[in-house]
Amino acid sequence: MVFVPSLYVMAHPVSGVLDADKQSMPAIPSLEALLASIDGMVYRCLADATWSMEFVSQGAFELTGYHPEELLGHAAVSFDQIIFPDDREHVRQVVHEALGNGAKYELEYRLVRKSGELRWVVERGSAVKRAAQGVSVLEGIIQDVTNRKKSDENRLEAERRYRSIFQNAIEGIYQSTLAQGYLDVNPALARIYGYDSPSQLIEGLRDIGSQLYVDLNRRLEFMQIMERHGSVSNFESRVYRRDGTVIWISENARAVRSEAGEVLFYEGTVEDITQRKFSESEIHFRATHDPLTRLANRTLLEEHLEQAIDVARRDGKCVAVAFLDLDKFKYINDSLGHQSGDELLVTIADRLRHCVRESDTVARLGGDEFVLVLVNQLNQKTVEKTVQRILADVAKPWIVNGVEVQVTCSVGVSLFPAHGSNSVALLRHADAAMFEAKRLGRNTSQYFSENLDDAGINGLEMISSLRRSIENQEFLLHYQPKCDLTTGAVVGAEALIRWQRPGLRILGPNEFLPLAEDAGLMEKIGEWVVRTACLQNRAWQDAGFPPIAVSVNVSPLQLERESLVPQVAQALRDSGLDPRYLEIEVTENGMMRHVERSMQTLRRLKELGVRISIDDFGTGYSSLGHLKHLPLDTLKIDKSFIRNISSDYQNASIVKAVISLAHSLNLNVVGEGVETEEEYEYLGRMGCNEIQGYYRGRPVPAQKFSQAYFQAPEEAAPAA
Ligand code: C2E
Ligand code: CA
Ligand code: CA
């Protein structure tokens, strides 16, 4: 007969169902069956040294591997023996405590199954004093909780692992709430934000919105996205570190909600992307700026110009596009070296930046071409002020290798809306205006006008056709007579270059030589000129005309080049012209640029036997005193002094002084630009030797020249 433990009744409060069972079924068999079906071992034992079992339910087998019979009365093993040795003391202690105060007990410990396997169990029981025998009896149930224990351990392990990730992550990790700020942060976040520890961060960074975010709007955006989508990813913002420095971070975060859907807290990660941002911005900078001067490049220029046009259209204002090209930069670059050339460009860039306002754009298109976009202009007057400042600032002297150098620039300006409605047109028109400024003699500015466009004066186009003009035989020389003032005879001719492209009007030297110089084409053109002039002069002599001297102009640039002397020598050899019939004209200014080098070239030319003439005398800086050091034959008084010489007292006295000085140096004096009989006569009276000018004859093609000025035209041979 199995004893029904009181525990059973105690463990299950009387329920309606149970009552019904009790009434409808025999109580004992059903309880026995219930006990057997209970998961775990129901027991009653004595509180003695070995926990002598009086009752053990069927569950014992499942739990311990021993049948109830083996446990009852120590038949095979005492219960104390199957408690894991390490845990026996603990079990005894808990039970004795419960005995002492008559309470229930609950404890966990390990059992050693019959197979030797360890199981975790939980035991719940109560102690009852059996007054009659004076012993205590324990009743209770022991259940296997090994699986629960394992999953607990797994959970703990997972937590430990998570904690370790949290602690050691490189990324910052946080949990925060709107109201309380940070709940938890890891060391990486503290590090990123410049705090010594997570707790210091949590303490110190109470108001995330205003303390952390550089732009409060960015924080609001963050909240809005969170609100709407419950998460943000790769959200980039600038934040303050503890020391006030600004860094870039990228955040991934999500809102953790309660079952009811309300936000409990946010959790997220933070990555310091300052370095990456820096590289990105550096890459962007390089894509939009000129590396040498750090000015905007063409891409950025066009972008800014488009924007400026949009704004001006809206505000009814004006935008100016100033296209700037340094004068003769190629020459500076070649003669001073590329490094100095680069330095110059950087200097110019700085000066340009200082000439304009912050909102304007200064760009370098490459080479020595710069473009400025001046925004918010009222009219041409306001633009002109800036343009004048640019011309003046660029032209300020600049020291390279201890030598003072001056560079000027030519500026072309187009205005929105007057000269174009889009960036392409404005840039093209400013470019055309810039070439017009070059044509006008450089160091000046020019505004775009419709006839510039009509004439098709597009600098780039012109340069590229200039390059081909020699092969295409588009250059020609016109010859202007020089005559002796005492005899009236033609004693010489000056060769003057012209450029004729098919179907277009003839261009004079001032219209294309500045461009040729800038494009580095001057040496080649110069060579052609000397050669052609020598061949022509020799052809005239071969045709039997009386020999005359032909003079050829040499630009200052050519004068400083090694190539000039060999070119002249070669032209003389090839033509077979006697050197004394060739005269080289150099301008005063040209000679003074690099006195030493120019002097050397002149001396070597002189050694070849050619004559040397100083051109445009009076327009330069050189004093009369300089003249005696130069290996000269002829001095040409500039036409500005000849003008109105009979009425302009001052001009007359200068001319008089120059003639007498030149004569004292044994120089032949030529008056240039003589247009009237009056001027002609006056110069004659002053003792001038020769004149050249429209009065005696305009520059004409070779054939016309021989027809007009030589006596035996029948045998005239055409030029080579
Ligand atoms: P330049 O050497 O002073 O040449 C004289 C210029 O004055 C020529 O202009 C000529 O046509 C012009 N002229 C002559 N007589 C008169 C006159 O009575 N009144 C006025 N108002 N002008 C007169 P052009 O042909 O246009 O040449 C201009 C300048 O171009 C020349 O000035 C010279 O410096 C340069 N040039 C011409 N051909 C060459 C060349 O082959 N090589 C180089 N490097 N420069 C050249
Ligand atoms: Ca000349
Ligand atoms: Ca001249």
Side-chain angles (χ1 to χ4, degrees), residues 246-267:
V246 173
I247 57 167
W248 273 99
I249 58 161
S250 170
E251 275 181 277
N252 287 292
R254 66 187 191 101
V256 178
R257 292 175 190 273
S258 70
E259 307 242 301
E262 63 185 329
V263 174
L264 295 176
F265 57 87
Y266 299 124
E267 64 181 21

Side-chain angles (χ1 to χ4, degrees), residues 585 615-616 636 638-639 672:
E585 293 193 5
D615 202 356
D616 300 348
K636 295 179 86 172
D638 188 69
K639 46 182 170 283
E672 272 194 313

Side-chain angles (χ1 to χ4, degrees), residues 345-638:
L345 291 172
V346 172
T347 307
I348 298 293
D350 284 343
R351 290 183 187 175
L352 292 179
R353 259 190 286 255
H354 281 106
C355 285
V356 301
R357 286 173 301 191
E358 197 69 30
S359 48
D360 297 335
T361 300
V362 184
R364 178 178 171 228
L365 299 190
D368 58 340
E369 282 182 346
F370 298 86
V371 172
L372 297 94
V373 176
L374 312 175
V375 298
N376 211 8
Q377 300 290 329
L378 293 177
N379 49 44
Q380 189 163 328
K381 253 193 208 146
T382 60
V383 175
E384 183 57 19
K385 257 191 176 163
T386 309
V387 170
Q388 286 310 321
R389 190 161 56 228
I390 290 169
L391 283 169
D393 276 13
V394 168
K396 278 182 189 156
W398 168 73
I399 311 280
V400 56
N401 302 333
V403 180
E404 201 177 83
V405 179
Q406 192 194 18
V407 196
T408 58
C409 65
S410 303
V411 180
V413 186
S414 67
L415 301 170
F416 170 87
H419 302 147
S421 59
N422 57 56
S423 64
V424 176
L426 288 169
L427 281 168
R428 190 161 50 90
H429 289 164
D431 191 9
M434 186 276 289
F435 277 101
E436 181 65 4
K438 288 255 178 208
R439 236 164 51 77
L440 293 174
R442 309 188 183 98
N443 193 18
T444 186
S445 65
Q446 193 62 30
Y447 286 81
F448 176 75
S449 69
E450 290 305 325
N451 56 357
L452 270 186
D453 206 26
D454 294 345
I457 297 172
N458 176 322
L460 284 177
E461 205 178 282
M462 206 151 149
I463 285 179
S464 75
S465 52
L466 256 180
R467 277 184 217 288
R468 286 170 311 197
S469 51
I470 293 183
E471 296 96 85
N472 292 353
Q473 306 189 11
E474 291 169 356
F475 287 132
L476 44 140
L477 291 181
H478 281 184
Y479 297 87
Q480 185 177 30
K482 278 189 222 173
C483 74
D484 188 300
L485 262 173
T486 42
T487 66
V490 171
V491 291
E494 178 173 9
L496 296 159
I497 195 168
R498 302 288 180 263
W499 184 20
Q500 172 142 50
R501 283 177 293 171
L504 295 172
R505 74 173 169 88
I506 292 187
L507 296 181
N510 291 333
E511 291 177 283
F512 62 89
L513 286 186
L515 283 185
E517 285 194 3
D518 274 25
L521 295 168
M522 205 53 231
E523 271 179 280
K524 238 180 118 186
I525 295 174
E527 183 183 20
W528 179 87
V529 170
V530 175
R531 194 183 171 73
T532 307
C534 288
L535 285 168
Q536 180 60 63
N537 199 9
R538 177 66 205 233
W540 280 328
Q541 290 179 10
D542 288 350
F545 297 130
I548 59 164
V550 170
S551 42
V552 161
N553 293 281
V554 158
S555 82
L557 240 137
Q558 287 170 277
L559 202 57
E560 290 154 25
R561 291 302 163 92
E562 295 293 323
S563 55
L564 179 63
V565 179
Q567 275 174 12
V568 171
Q570 189 68 38
L572 288 169
R573 263 198 304 278
D574 290 353
S575 63
L577 182 73
D578 187 333
R580 67 191 152 125
Y581 296 119
L582 176 65
E583 188 167 53
I584 300 290
E585 293 193 5
V586 294
T587 59
E588 201 187 349
N589 285 345
M591 212 140 49
M592 290 309 144
R593 291 212 320 196
H594 287 278
V595 181
E596 277 313 307
R597 221 182 296 173
S598 305
M599 288 276 269
Q600 230 177 353
T601 308
L602 291 184
R603 274 194 213 106
R604 285 165 60 202
L605 284 172
K606 199 79 210 156
E607 282 161 16
L608 289 178
V610 303
R611 295 165 60 83
I612 295 182
S613 165
I614 185 156
D615 202 356
D616 300 348
F617 189 82
T619 58
Y621 317 114
S622 73
S623 68
L624 291 167
H626 268 118
L627 289 176
K628 58 174 173 282
H629 303 297
L630 299 170
L632 300 175
D633 300 285
T634 304
L635 183 150
K636 295 179 86 172
I637 302 172
D638 188 69

Side-chain angles (χ1 to χ4, degrees), residues 112-178:
V112 186
R113 279 170 62 86
K114 196 174 185 182
S115 63
E117 185 197 355
L118 279 187
R119 304 297 291 179
W120 273 101
V121 296
V122 61
E123 178 175 340
R124 293 185 197 87
S126 55
V128 190
K129 276 234 153 62
R130 214 179 259 167
Q133 286 112 330
V135 289
S136 295
V137 177
L138 309 175
E139 292 169 345
I141 180 166
I142 305 170
Q143 286 172 307
D144 190 329
V145 293
T146 310
N147 289 343
R148 195 205 77 210
K149 257 317 227 210
K150 263 208 189 114
S151 69
D152 278 1
E153 252 161 41
N154 287 348
R155 205 191 63 237
L156 274 177
E157 178 56 28
E159 258 169 32
R160 259 198 305 277
R161 236 177 304 149
Y162 166 72
R163 202 72 212 163
S164 152
I165 293 171
F166 182 77
Q167 290 294 323
N168 302 315
I170 308 170
E171 285 192 329
I173 303 174
Y174 66 82
Q175 286 181 334
S176 66
T177 67
L178 276 187

